Amino acid sequence: MDLTDARQRAAHPAAKPRILPPTPDHKPDELPKICRQQTITLHPSDLGHLDKFRRDLPYLSPSWNGTYSSARANTEGLNGRLKGQDLDLSDPKNRLAHGRVAQTLLVALTVMVANDHFLDAWRHTHQPDPAPDDTGARTGTGHAGAA
C-alpha cells in the first residue's frame, strides 16, 4: 500500500471507523425469562392501552387475504388514478409548492378534489338524474308558457 496516496489510505480497513458492540448488562443466565424463551403468548388483556394495535388475523393468512385484499386493491386503484395521465400527481411539476408542509397540503387538497370527481363520475354513471319535470310547460303554468 502506498501511504502517500490519500485514496489508498482512506480505503484501508484501519482507516475505517469501528463500532464496538456494547458490553452486556447481564450474563445470559441472568437475563429475564422473556429474553431467554423462544416464544411468547399475548392475550388481549396483556396489552392494556396498546390493545388497539393488536392484529387478530395472522399476516398473509387466507383469512387476512380475504379481509384486506379488496381494501388493498381499492387503495392501489386510487393511487393509479392519482398518478395517471389526468392528474399525474407523481410528477413534481404538477405540485410546485415549496416546502414539505405546503406539498402535503397541496397533495391532500388534490386527492380530495380528485376523490370528489371520482365520486361524481360514479354517481352520474350509477344514479343518473331523473328526467326533468316539464309538466308546467305542458299545462301552461310555467314561465315558458306565460305570455
Side-chain angles (χ1 to χ4, degrees):
M1 178 170 102
D2 181 11
L3 293 177
T4 60
D5 183 12
R7 179 174 274 173
Q8 286 186 16
R9 277 195 320 268
H12 192 274
K16 306 287 185 210
R18 286 187 294 161
I19 300 173
L20 300 174
T23 56
D25 294 337
H26 302 286
K27 293 183 174 74
D29 56 335
E30 295 175 353
L31 291 173
K33 180 183 175 191
I34 195 166
C35 297
R36 289 181 280 139
Q37 62 193 43
Q38 296 295 317
T39 61
I40 64 169
T41 301
L42 292 175
H43 301 287
S45 61
D46 294 340
L47 297 175
H49 71 283
L50 298 175
D51 187 48
K52 63 183 175 183
F53 297 116
R54 186 174 61 87
R55 293 192 174 178
D56 294 326
L57 304 173
Y59 181 64
L60 292 180
S61 66
S63 56
W64 183 91
N65 278 328
T67 302
Y68 295 109
S69 62
S70 62
R72 176 77 179 177
N74 286 336
T75 301
E76 291 302 328
L78 178 62
N79 288 342
R81 290 178 81 174
L82 291 172
K83 293 178 183 179
Q85 60 186 354
D86 292 338
L87 291 174
D88 199 10
L89 193 58
S90 61
D91 189 355
K93 72 177 183 193
N94 292 332
R95 40 187 172 83
L96 297 176
H98 297 287
R100 181 174 287 169
V101 172
Q103 288 272 325
T104 302
L105 291 173
L106 179 63
V107 167
L109 289 171
T110 304
V111 169
M112 181 192 72
V113 169
N115 202 18
D116 187 49
H117 286 294
F118 300 152
L119 292 172
D120 196 41
W122 183 90
R123 186 179 59 82
H124 284 297
T125 302
H126 293 80
Q127 299 172 344
D129 291 332
D133 184 18
D134 60 353
T135 57
R138 279 186 273 149
T139 59
T141 57
H143 294 291

